[in-house]
Amino acid sequence: MPNLLELADGGDAELSWQERALCAQTDPEAFFPEKGGSTREAKKVCVSCEVRSECLEYALAHDERFGIWGGLSERERRRLKKQAV
């Protein structure tokens, strides 16, 4: 699975928040659990991450379909998008 920092494109200012992301300092497997796997560990990291809101905004804007982004699973992000419509 990709490390969230690996998704950044060089010095792209839009993605500079990823350099401060706590997930970049932890096991990326926790953020991309197997179907039905626990998201608890990833979400615990997200709770104290200073760039949680930027991460969630990125995931929503880029329609990320897999993994934990901004403390939310794909299903939770989908629900959030539906509520916003």
Side-chain angles (χ1 to χ4, degrees):
M1 291 293 152
N3 179 309
L4 295 184
L5 280 181
E6 292 172 2
L7 299 174
D9 180 23
D12 189 353
E14 179 186 339
L15 300 176
S16 65
W17 58 267
Q18 290 185 349
E19 295 172 6
R20 301 185 322 274
L22 290 178
C23 59
Q25 304 166 28
T26 60
D27 179 13
E29 294 293 319
F31 294 87
F32 295 92
E34 296 290 324
K35 185 173 180 117
S38 175
T39 61
R40 187 175 303 135
E41 290 305 311
K43 288 180 176 186
K44 280 171 55 175
V45 172
C46 293
V47 166
S48 56
C49 185
E50 69 177 81
V51 296
R52 182 177 177 185
S53 61
E54 290 95 329
C55 181
L56 180 57
E57 286 176 30
Y58 176 88
L60 293 171
H62 292 88
D63 201 27
E64 287 292 341
R65 302 239 183 231
F66 301 100
I68 305 302
W69 291 79
L72 300 181
S73 68
E74 192 273 333
R75 180 181 298 159
E76 292 165 328
R77 291 190 303 275
R78 207 173 339 127
R79 192 175 311 132
L80 185 64
K81 281 184 115 170
K82 283 183 182 179
Q83 290 174 353
V85 173

